[in-house]
Amino acid sequence: MTYAYRHLVSCIDVIFRKVNDTRNSKELFSKMPLSSNDLRVKAFAVDIDGTLTENGNGMIYLPAVSKMRFLEKIGYKVFFVTGRSSVEAYVLSVFLGITRVAIGENGGVVSKGPSDHTILGNKELCLKGYEILKDHMENVDVKPVFPRMSEVVLQRTFDINEGKKILRERNLDLDIVDSKYAFHINELGVNKAKGLDLALKFLNIGPKEVVAIGDSETDIPVFGICGLSIALGHSDDTVKKHADHVVNGKEGIGLCDAIDYVSLNYLR
């Protein structure tokens, strides 16, 4: 099956190059691969916004879906680790045909079913932080999103560093992170790595057996615990510095590039 997958990847890559001849094999990957003996892949932890989606409007890049579903069919677990709600991510997993475990709210909630949610964050504390920010800053507004169980989601319309400072000065165990989709108020210590760690226990998989793929600062904690981390081409430099590998492709195309890179170098 591995040979078949590699052959499929090669065929798709040839077609893609004919459609877009501005890319070539030297440009596709920015670093030499690590030794395949150092990594035994069992799962892929994938971000959603800016990674699976394209054009900044939540539209899914369909060629990436095909690759993710194929990975599932040949025995690998593929699941979402996202700043969106775990319910959104779980439902998306069902319809895309991938692993039905979802880490949402930047690690604050892990969902294994329509009514099976493990909450890791303190939403009441996050709401308190939101009220303080609203009293001391302008343009602090809640973003219309699906209901959250562990965090507060805000519009990206204020100075995030000033907001963090205000919360620190009041000794609140809170942080504000930027997913590029929104600002998120999360309890300190609650991040994607914490949610992923719990989900992997459910799946009986070790963090070093996971490939993490993402594009924002919220993915950095996951990069730190996984066996291989891949940042997309449009990621900020800070994110790229924390990744083991960086692909040139952006958004959905970058996710395809990341999966191809792993399949050609690490899958057995």
Side-chain angles (χ1 to χ4, degrees), residues 26 30 100 113 116 145 161 180 190-191 223 241 254 258 260:
K26 291 182 180 179
S30 62
R100 297 187 181 189
D116 187 352
V145 295
N161 291 322
K180 303 302 182 186
V190 174
N191 54 45
F223 287 0
K241 288 177 182 178
D260 290 351

Side-chain angles (χ1 to χ4, degrees), residues 38-254:
D38 297 333
L39 180 67
R40 185 170 184 82
V41 178
K42 291 186 178 180
F44 291 75
V46 181
D47 175 47
I48 294 180
D49 288 284
T51 300
L52 176 63
T53 62
E54 58 180 328
N55 298 329
N57 62 6
M59 182 171 63
I60 292 173
Y61 186 67
L62 294 179
V65 174
S66 296
K67 290 179 182 288
M68 293 166 66
R69 185 176 291 179
F70 192 83
L71 287 172
E72 278 277 345
K73 286 187 175 181
I74 62 174
Y76 298 95
K77 300 295 185 183
V78 183
F79 48 85
F80 293 121
V81 186
T82 178
R84 286 183 179 261
S85 75
S86 60
V87 174
E88 289 175 90
Y90 178 82
V91 171
L92 187 58
S93 299
V94 172
F95 286 113
L96 297 189
I98 61 174
T99 303
R100 297 187 181 189
V101 173
I103 299 98
E105 304 189 23
N106 291 312
V109 183
V110 178
S111 294
K112 296 189 296 176
S115 58
D116 187 352
H117 313 292
T118 302
I119 303 173
L120 302 176
N122 183 342
K123 183 174 181 179
E124 291 302 317
L125 182 60
C126 295
L127 286 169
K128 180 178 179 181
Y130 162 66
E131 293 298 335
I132 289 174
L133 291 179
K134 195 171 181 180
D135 288 342
H136 291 81
M137 300 182 69
E138 295 182 352
N139 301 318
V140 177
D141 298 308
V142 171
K143 181 168 184 171
V145 295
F146 284 88
R148 301 304 168 99
M149 294 178 261
S150 73
E151 67 170 5
V152 174
V153 184
L154 304 176
Q155 301 280 12
R156 299 175 74 241
T157 51
F158 63 94
D159 186 335
I160 188 172
N161 291 322
E162 180 64 21
K164 290 183 177 185
K165 179 182 176 184
I166 290 171
L167 295 181
R168 283 196 306 268
E169 290 174 346
R170 282 150 185 82
N171 296 316
L172 292 174
D173 290 333
L174 295 171
D175 194 13
I176 310 173
V177 295
D178 183 4
S179 65
K180 303 302 182 186
Y181 163 74
F183 289 160
H184 305 254
I185 303 178
N186 297 113
E187 184 181 3
L188 280 176
V190 174
N191 54 45
K192 287 186 176 183
K194 183 169 183 175
L196 176 62
D197 186 65
L198 177 61
L200 292 178
K201 288 181 171 63
F202 295 147
L203 296 169
N204 196 28
I205 295 174
K208 296 303 180 184
E209 297 172 313
V210 177
V211 176
I213 305 172
D215 72 314
S216 77
E217 70 173 63
T218 62
D219 298 306
I220 292 175
V222 173
F223 287 0
I225 68 170
C226 289
L228 179 66
S229 55
I230 302 177
L232 305 193
H234 64 282
S235 304
D236 291 341
D237 288 341
T238 301
V239 179
K240 292 178 179 178
K241 288 177 182 178
H242 284 84
D244 296 315
H245 185 78
V246 179
V247 293
N248 286 342
K250 301 177 181 180
E251 299 177 326
I253 293 174

